[in-house]
Amino acid sequence: MRHANAEHLLDYRNVWPDVELSVEILEAGAVNVTDMTFPASVRITLDWEEISLRENLHYHFDLRTQKPHLSSWLLNSEDRFDPEVFVANAVECETQQVTPVSIFRTVRRPVEEEGREIQETLWLTKEYVFTGLFKCMKLDARRFPFDMHRLPLQIVARPLSGGLSALGEARKVRLVDPRLRIYERILQNNASEAASPATAALTEKELRARKVAINAAKPMSALQPHTFDSKDLRQQPPHLWGRMIESASNSDPEVDTVVGDFIAVAFGGRQALPADDSYKLEMLYVRDYSAYMSDFWLKFLLTVICLLAVFVPYTDDILANRLSITLGIVLTLVSFATARAAAVESLCYDTYFDMIAKGYFAITVVVACQNLVATTLCWGTFRYGMSGANYWPDGAGATICSKSFCGGGLNHLDCIFLVIVLNLILLVPIGMWIGSILMQLRMLLHAKRAYLTTPSVRQGWVSVKAPQTCHLMLSKKRRIPGRRKPTVQFETTFSDADVAAALATVTPLLGLVPSFWAWLGRLTQTSQNRSASVPAAVPARVAPAPDEALDSPEWMERYLGVLPPVEAGVQCNLVDIGTGEMGLYKICSRMVADKGQVLFMEGKKVPMSPGNTFVEEFVKDPGGASRLAKTFFDWYLHSDEGQGPARSDSANKRKKVQFIMGTTGKIREIMIGSADSTRQMEAFLTRVETELEEEYEVAARLVWFVPPGEDEATFELTAAEWLIQIGDLDVTRVDAGPNNQFFGGFELNQAFARSRCSHAGCASASDVVQVEDFMREFADLLGPDLSSSFLHSKFEQASRNSTCSDAMSAEFGPLYQVFRDSPKLMRTLVQKRLFAGTISAGGGSSQVAIKDEPRMVSDMHKHMRSMLSHESLGEPSKPSRGLLRASEVMSLPLGNRAPLLAQEKGAAPLWSSDQPITQGMIDCWRSRIDEAWNKMAENDELPDRVASGLRGLLVGISAVFHASKLAGCAETILPRTLFLNRILRKLDDLVADPPEPKNGAYDHRDAANLTLVHEVVSRALAPTAWIVCKRNWHAQPAFLEGSDGSLVLEKEDLPEYVATWVLGFYLNQTKML
């Protein structure tokens, strides 16, 4: 047994199963809109498959029950996989583990990739019941009593115990949507139907089918997911509503959807996208306003009675008679206006209920004023009948006081007032009611879209063969034979008309023509989306700030900001589709002897034809799919140049090759702005997959996503930060900055000053640092590439060069020299303390991505505390979109192609290609940049750090690198002033000696780019800032440096990288930072 256990050790350190989560609502209580809490009781079932457990070692079969059981030693072992969950938004919660980890049944499915026909796994399960009070982040009851609320339950998996993974990360369990439970429910339903008594004689084939269905549902039978029909999967709800009520007819219990004065119309849950350790369940409650209609009609009738005072005839007692009615109603409505419903009594804002009460009270006051005005104008306050009508010119008073079309002896003044007020008191509440209904429809339609997975030509990285599944269950009324009243059931939905029908339980009007109301809800939702405007250049905070969502069109929800997963250790094929070129990259992380884990990257550029983008070059070209398939095959899959296409073997043919394609620049704008372009792209990618399959026998999957501009800038920042640490950036030989300040000198002097001490044996006690203070001050530099022993050895080296007699002390000068001479120390210092962000420019815009270190540290500390606190049931951790770096992005809506292209159709460009570049043309372009920058400053669109000038080290990439290369100052750390002087000198050279025209036209791209870079850098960077422009980096890992500063490997033995957003995306998705 010991030998068998040693051969089959359970290792969950780096790989562990995904856990399927299904929920059953056992009990639910009314919502407290004041405290924003609601009581509930839910049963949470965790299911997962195990492939590493071995029979007669980890489990055994009970011959009596024919069911597998886990071994007792495994249940008590610390190496077992035992996921735990908690509800993050619980205020008070009682947790009960109903069942321990146990085997539910076996699962059998065909697995062709592994060379065998059938793979058998174990389905393990455990159950929790959570009962308590849960918190909502936001509840808006302004539409009371027509309000509707979405009540969340944020379920989070605790990190696995037993330490971190090999990468030093918390071992977080992914919670995914249930599939096994759905298969099980289908089996049980089929068995229940098969066991029902036959209504007619059955054939032998039908009897055999019934017997098969009954046997398949038995626990000892293996579950076979591949045998199920996708139609059955669609009809099964992933979660259950278990709140039932006994029916009066002693039949089966009925679903109870009444929760206080609310009615549950829908509930659903689904995994995060991409899947992580959180799972969100929501219940949607709509208030049953029928209980409040009596108050409304009472106020309405009192207001109408008050209004009927206009029918009092004009006599000497008209004022007393009218006001006796009006003032009595006014005093009655005062109590209604000051009293509030118990459900909203403590709210600090007015609801529709309060507005209606106050509005009716105000109308009665207006009626009283009208009584006085009408009496004065049309009868008079004097006993002799001297009325105010006698003073109106041209007999207008006589006209307004004459009899009107209303009848009943009313004059025109009373009649007009009666008609206006009647319409007001009737139409305004009706408008509130209809507006609230449309709001409820929009909320349900939004929830349906959020919980509906629709297969299409392209859907992120999900297989196109995946069946359509719905994770939102709507309440529907169904008539069951034998029952007089229809019963309510929760069912999955795929129709917008079902959304309107679900609300018919509260508003029966919606049940008459549900498709019309669904169309009206979509129409109002579309109009709201069109009216919403987002500033183009507003600085945006991006991840890890998960509380902000992307505002994207409906057709881009599957692509914009959706980051595909990347598998570490496997070659990742990435495609960067830009405005004028396409970048092809192969990135892979591999173990190399004597080097450890090394990241390899290869790339090349494919330019587009002049004036064409990727859409014209490939998507709209009839032969574009064939050309792109050949390009992919030649670069990614064809290793031997000059030979014919290599046919893949059967194993490679079955295993799909994944290509991750990201569109940026103008292509991103085209896709966001047009649903037709998105559909064309989807169809085009399908054609490319077909070409690869038929022409090259390569089963490919093209995963398309659209990184927002902020994410693109953040990925560039991530790549630059990583390359600074492992790349060949020369950080030891840097020119002096302003006032002869050396690079990093100010920061080092401040750090030494914070850690200095007084020591009698030193030549200058004010310039001495002891080793413990030194290690404490630079503790933030420690990491995988820089150990404490290395840092200690560097301090000893400085101590030997100091005049201190104590070996535990060192002076500022030798310490500073040690830092300056050590690439490892300087690169780590740059990455941890000096690196501020990236600055880039393109054809359409220029961007500055600022590293938001305080935000990252704060979020990291909060996240670690939430992971380490197993008893924490505090505020929920909102789902993140998966970015490991925080940044603040500023985008200037001007690129280096702006002066070369016409800004409006039919207009001339700013620069003409018919004449050489002149200083006047540059000044004109510079003034346009100044105008755009000043406009952003006036609109408060500049981040504070940019407005005051960025400090530290900025890395210039893309067009900024090309400008520095043209000016002869690339790949070198330079002070801002010296960098600008080099750019300006090259610009003056272009003006003095412009390049010769080609085909009769002058190429002004270099001049436009140099001017843009000079202006942006001069405004964004402070005078004390530093900048380095570098695109191609050779790996020079800091861990290869010995304590004496020598390198173990030569430079040419290490790979080369390109500082682009693609590299940052890979680092982010593989969590290599």
Side-chain angles (χ1 to χ4, degrees):
M1 177 65 72
R2 183 179 303 173
H3 179 70
N5 193 14
E7 289 184 350
H8 302 284
L9 287 176
L10 298 179
D11 184 9
Y12 297 108
R13 175 158 185 169
N14 298 310
V15 180
W16 50 88
D18 291 342
V19 175
E20 300 179 5
L21 187 145
S22 56
V23 182
E24 181 180 3
I25 308 296
L26 301 178
E27 190 55 58
V31 184
N32 188 330
V33 295
T34 304
D35 298 336
M36 294 192 296
T37 58
F38 63 96
S41 178
V42 296
R43 176 187 288 114
I44 296 178
T45 304
L46 305 180
D47 301 307
W48 67 95
E49 291 186 64
E50 282 282 6
I51 62 174
S52 56
L53 300 185
R54 295 296 181 263
E55 188 177 352
N56 296 330
L57 177 63
H58 302 108
Y59 70 97
H60 66 279
F61 271 90
D62 189 337
L63 298 180
R64 294 169 299 177
T65 61
Q66 292 298 313
K67 290 184 62 177
H69 296 275
L70 293 174
S71 301
S72 58
W73 71 266
L74 180 60
L75 294 175
N76 299 323
S77 172
E78 296 181 355
D79 297 332
R80 73 185 188 279
F81 179 73
D82 189 5
E84 297 180 357
V85 296
F86 66 96
V87 183
N89 62 319
V91 179
E92 301 174 357
C93 184
E94 177 184 353
T95 304
Q96 179 185 4
Q97 183 174 337
V98 179
T99 60
V101 177
S102 59
I103 300 176
F104 190 80
R105 65 162 72 225
T106 58
V107 180
R108 304 184 67 187
R109 55 166 58 88
V111 180
E112 298 179 353
E113 290 84 351
E114 298 185 3
R116 50 182 177 177
E117 295 182 356
I118 296 295
Q119 180 190 42
E120 185 168 289
T121 61
L122 292 179
W123 172 1
L124 272 67
T125 183
K126 66 184 300 188
E127 287 186 1
Y128 287 95
V129 171
F130 294 94
T131 304
L133 195 64
F134 304 95
K135 183 77 172 180
C136 295
M137 292 299 100
K138 181 180 179 182
L139 283 182
D140 190 355
R142 287 181 173 84
R143 294 181 181 269
F144 174 85
F146 311 118
D147 51 334
M148 183 178 184
H149 305 290
R150 298 176 68 167
L151 310 178
L153 286 174
Q154 192 70 29
I155 305 167
V156 180
R158 299 188 193 278
L160 297 178
S161 59
L164 305 177
S165 67
L167 299 178
E169 301 172 348
R171 298 186 298 158
K172 297 189 295 185
V173 178
R174 295 202 319 168
L175 301 179
V176 297
D177 293 319
R179 302 287 290 180
L180 296 175
R181 285 289 161 183
I182 295 179
Y183 296 141
E184 179 66 20
R185 289 171 193 150
I186 295 176
L187 284 180
Q188 298 302 329
N189 291 342
N190 293 340
S192 177
E193 294 177 0
S196 62
T199 57
L202 299 178
T203 64
E204 183 179 353
K205 183 177 181 181
E206 292 173 338
L207 288 173
R208 192 183 308 114
R210 283 195 169 201
K211 185 176 181 180
V212 170
I214 295 175
N215 291 332
K218 294 180 179 179
M220 67 282 296
S221 301
L223 179 70
Q224 302 183 40
H226 60 281
T227 62
F228 291 92
D229 189 2
S230 61
K231 182 179 179 181
D232 295 331
L233 297 178
R234 294 177 55 184
Q235 296 175 351
Q236 287 297 324
H239 306 289
L240 300 177
W241 184 271
R243 190 170 184 264
M244 313 297 286
I245 186 174
E246 296 294 335
S247 61
S249 58
N250 294 326
S251 59
D252 295 335
E254 300 178 358
V255 174
D256 184 12
T257 60
V258 179
V259 185
D261 57 349
F262 288 93
I263 294 179
V265 295
F267 77 100
R270 72 172 305 167
Q271 66 189 48
L273 294 177
D276 57 16
D277 59 342
S278 64
Y279 195 95
K280 186 176 182 180
L281 179 80
E282 278 189 320
M283 296 180 289
L284 284 82
Y285 289 0
V286 60
R287 195 182 298 271
D288 185 6
Y289 55 82
S290 60
Y292 301 92
M293 293 305 295
S294 59
D295 290 345
F296 166 76
W297 288 115
L298 180 59
K299 297 167 189 175
F300 176 78
L301 291 176
L302 287 174
T303 308
V304 171
I305 292 172
C306 178
L307 189 60
L308 293 180
V310 298
F311 287 95
V312 175
Y314 284 84
T315 62
D316 290 342
D317 298 328
I318 179 178
L319 186 59
N321 293 336
R322 286 193 173 190
L323 289 180
S324 63
I325 301 174
T326 304
L327 294 180
I329 301 299
V330 169
L331 295 176
T332 304
L333 288 178
V334 166
S335 60
F336 284 107
T338 55
R340 307 186 73 181
V344 294
E345 186 176 4
S346 301
L347 289 181
C348 59
Y349 51 83
D350 285 340
T351 65
Y352 278 7
F353 192 81
D354 303 322
M355 294 177 187
I356 291 174
K358 293 179 179 179
Y360 283 165
F361 168 73
I363 287 175
T364 57
V365 174
V366 173
V367 171
C369 296
Q370 192 272 347
N371 292 336
L372 179 60
V373 172
T375 303
T376 304
L377 290 180
C378 298
W379 183 257
T381 57
F382 307 102
R383 68 179 60 188
Y384 300 106
M386 182 64 69
S387 67
N390 299 328
Y391 299 99
W392 286 64
D394 300 331
T399 302
I400 199 172
C401 295
S402 60
K403 288 187 178 181
S404 68
F405 59 88
C406 292
L410 296 183
N411 55 32
H412 283 86
L413 180 61
D414 291 335
C415 178
I416 294 173
F417 181 77
L418 178 65
V419 172
I420 293 176
V421 174
L422 278 177
N423 283 277
L424 188 65
I425 65 176
L426 190 60
L427 295 181
V428 170
I430 291 177
M432 290 182 172
W433 176 62
I434 294 178
S436 301
I437 290 176
L438 295 178
M439 180 275 299
Q440 296 172 4
L441 284 170
R442 290 195 300 269
M443 187 177 294
L444 267 184
L445 288 171
H446 182 272
K448 169 182 169 291
R449 188 170 64 249
Y451 288 97
L452 183 65
T453 303
T454 306
S456 60
V457 178
R458 178 66 42 188
Q459 182 177 344
W461 58 88
V462 179
S463 172
V464 295
K465 297 181 180 179
Q468 184 186 48
T469 57
C470 181
H471 303 272
L472 182 72
M473 281 66 70
L474 291 176
S475 61
K476 299 180 181 179
K477 287 187 176 181
R478 297 292 186 190
R479 289 195 173 273
I480 298 179
R483 295 187 182 180
R484 291 179 297 177
K485 294 183 179 180
T487 61
V488 178
Q489 297 179 353
F490 280 101
E491 300 177 2
T492 56
T493 181
F494 299 90
S495 170
D496 290 346
D498 293 338
V499 173
L503 292 174
T505 56
V506 180
T507 308
L509 180 62
L510 300 181
L512 298 179
V513 190
S515 57
F516 166 75
W517 289 102
W519 170 81
L520 193 60
R522 292 193 303 268
L523 184 65
T524 55
Q525 191 173 30
T526 305
S527 63
Q528 285 189 352
N529 293 338
R530 290 178 178 175
S531 62
S533 59
V534 180
V538 175
R541 286 192 180 275
V542 296
D547 50 327
E548 298 177 4
L550 293 174
D551 186 9
S552 60
E554 182 178 353
W555 59 86
M556 290 298 296
E557 289 181 349
R558 301 194 302 271
Y559 309 111
L560 186 62
V562 178
L563 306 182
V566 172
E567 184 179 355
V570 180
Q571 175 177 306
C572 182
N573 306 315
L574 292 164
V575 184
D576 175 17
I577 303 176
T579 303
E581 60 184 7
M582 177 176 60
L584 308 177
Y585 299 95
K586 294 183 286 189
I587 306 178
C588 182
S589 176
R590 297 195 299 268
M591 292 294 299
V592 180
D594 301 328
K595 298 181 184 180
Q597 195 78 15
V598 178
L599 187 68
F600 293 88
M601 180 180 184
E602 297 181 58
K604 77 170 185 177
K605 292 289 186 178
V606 178
M608 306 297 166
S609 302
N612 282 354
T613 65
F614 180 84
V615 176
E616 291 81 15
E617 188 81 8
F618 289 101
V619 178
K620 295 184 178 180
D621 186 10
S626 177
R627 289 190 293 111
L628 187 62
K630 185 179 186 306
T631 302
F632 283 178
F633 182 79
D634 292 342
W635 171 246
Y636 292 108
L637 306 171
H638 192 192
S639 57
D640 298 326
E641 294 292 339
Q643 299 179 8
R647 300 298 179 182
S648 57
D649 55 18
S650 58
N652 291 332
K653 182 179 178 180
R654 287 192 295 267
K655 187 174 182 179
K656 288 191 174 182
V657 181
Q658 179 171 273
F659 298 87
I660 299 178
M661 309 176 64
T663 50
T664 61
K666 188 177 180 181
I667 309 301
R668 175 173 53 215
E669 299 175 4
I670 292 174
M671 298 302 161
I672 295 176
S674 172
D676 292 337
S677 299
T678 302
R679 286 191 289 269
Q680 290 176 6
M681 175 68 82
E682 292 173 341
F684 171 75
L685 297 181
T686 303
R687 295 199 304 270
V688 176
E689 289 180 346
T690 304
E691 285 286 338
L692 287 171
E693 176 74 25
E694 296 178 353
E695 184 68 22
Y696 304 103
E697 297 184 2
V698 175
R701 179 171 58 185
L702 272 59
V703 179
W704 173 43
F705 79 110
V706 181
E710 295 81 8
D711 286 7
E712 180 186 354
T714 303
F715 290 144
E716 292 172 345
L717 184 144
T718 302
E721 182 181 1
W722 184 75
L723 289 171
I724 285 175
Q725 177 63 20
I726 66 98
D728 59 340
L729 179 64
D730 189 354
V731 292
T732 58
R733 295 184 296 273
V734 183
D735 294 337
N739 302 322
N740 292 323
Q741 178 68 49
F742 291 105
F743 175 65
F746 178 79
E747 287 77 10
L748 285 174
N749 286 331
Q750 291 295 314
F752 295 154
R754 288 192 297 268
S755 58
R756 63 187 172 187
C757 67
S758 178
H759 195 274
C762 299
S764 177
S766 61
D767 293 337
V768 172
V769 179
Q770 284 197 340
V771 61
E772 59 268 19
D773 300 318
F774 175 82
M775 297 296 292
R776 186 183 305 110
E777 172 62 29
F778 294 101
D780 61 312
L781 304 187
L782 300 179
D785 296 334
L786 196 148
S787 62
S788 58
S789 59
F790 179 87
L791 192 61
H792 195 277
S793 67
K794 290 298 181 181
F795 183 87
E796 292 178 348
Q797 180 181 344
S799 178
R800 289 192 297 267
N801 298 328
S802 301
T803 60
C804 298
S805 59
D806 186 1
M808 306 301 290
S809 304
E811 296 172 346
F812 280 17
L815 282 174
Y816 179 73
Q817 194 61 38
V818 164
F819 265 88
R820 291 271 298 170
D821 295 340
S822 173
K824 178 188 288 189
L825 283 178
M826 284 302 296
R827 281 201 297 268
T828 307
L829 181 71
V830 169
Q831 182 193 30
K832 299 291 185 180
R833 298 190 180 184
L834 301 181
F835 176 63
T838 59
I839 183 168
S840 61
S845 63
S846 305
Q847 292 180 328
V848 178
I850 313 167
K851 183 180 179 182
D852 197 352
E853 188 68 30
R855 181 80 168 273
M856 287 166 52
V857 172
S858 174
D859 288 348
M860 181 186 67
H861 287 172
K862 292 179 181 178
H863 184 59
M864 291 302 295
R865 284 197 299 269
S866 65
M867 289 192 302
L868 297 178
S869 177
H870 284 259
E871 304 299 328
S872 172
L873 292 176
E875 295 297 323
S877 57
K878 299 178 183 178
S880 170
R881 290 192 300 113
L883 273 69
L884 300 181
R885 285 295 180 263
S887 67
E888 194 170 10
V889 180
M890 186 220 73
S891 179
L892 180 70
L894 280 180
N896 50 28
R897 300 183 66 186
L900 311 178
L901 302 175
Q903 301 301 310
E904 298 179 0
K905 189 175 182 179
L910 185 66
W911 288 0
S912 173
S913 60
D914 297 334
Q915 59 178 348
I917 191 69
T918 63
Q919 187 63 41
M921 296 167 63
I922 293 177
D923 293 340
C924 185
W925 172 222
R926 183 175 289 143
S927 63
R928 177 174 290 185
I929 300 173
D930 293 343
E931 180 182 353
W933 191 279
N934 295 333
K935 183 178 180 181
M936 291 181 63
E938 293 173 358
N939 296 335
D940 197 23
E941 296 173 352
L942 292 178
D944 295 337
R945 293 169 63 186
V946 174
S948 59
L950 293 170
R951 290 161 177 80
L953 176 66
L954 277 295
V955 177
I957 55 179
S958 62
V960 179
F961 163 75
H962 293 296
S964 66
K965 184 178 180 180
L966 190 64
C969 57
E971 302 189 357
T972 304
I973 299 177
L974 294 174
R976 166 188 174 272
T977 304
L978 184 55
F979 175 81
L980 292 177
N981 290 338
R982 298 271 185 95
I983 296 294
L984 195 58
R985 186 187 309 164
K986 181 61 180 179
L987 196 57
D988 293 340
D989 293 343
L990 288 179
V991 174
D993 186 15
E996 296 295 329
K998 297 180 180 179
N999 299 325
Y1002 288 91
D1003 188 357
H1004 298 321
R1005 290 178 294 180
D1006 291 341
N1009 189 43
L1010 288 169
T1011 305
L1012 177 66
V1013 170
H1014 182 275
E1015 296 304 307
V1016 172
V1017 171
S1018 63
R1019 284 163 174 76
L1021 273 61
T1024 57
W1026 302 75
I1027 185 172
V1028 58
C1029 301
K1030 191 173 176 66
R1031 175 177 173 81
N1032 299 319
W1033 301 64
H1034 285 276
Q1036 191 178 15
F1039 63 82
L1040 297 178
E1041 180 187 348
S1043 59
D1044 58 351
S1046 61
L1047 293 178
V1048 178
L1049 297 176
E1050 296 296 333
K1051 176 179 177 181
E1052 54 267 22
D1053 293 334
L1054 298 171
E1056 183 178 349
Y1057 306 107
V1058 179
T1060 178
W1061 73 265
V1062 170
L1063 176 60
F1065 165 78
Y1066 181 87
L1067 295 171
N1068 182 86
Q1069 294 303 92
T1070 55
K1071 299 179 175 57
M1072 294 187 61
L1073 290 177

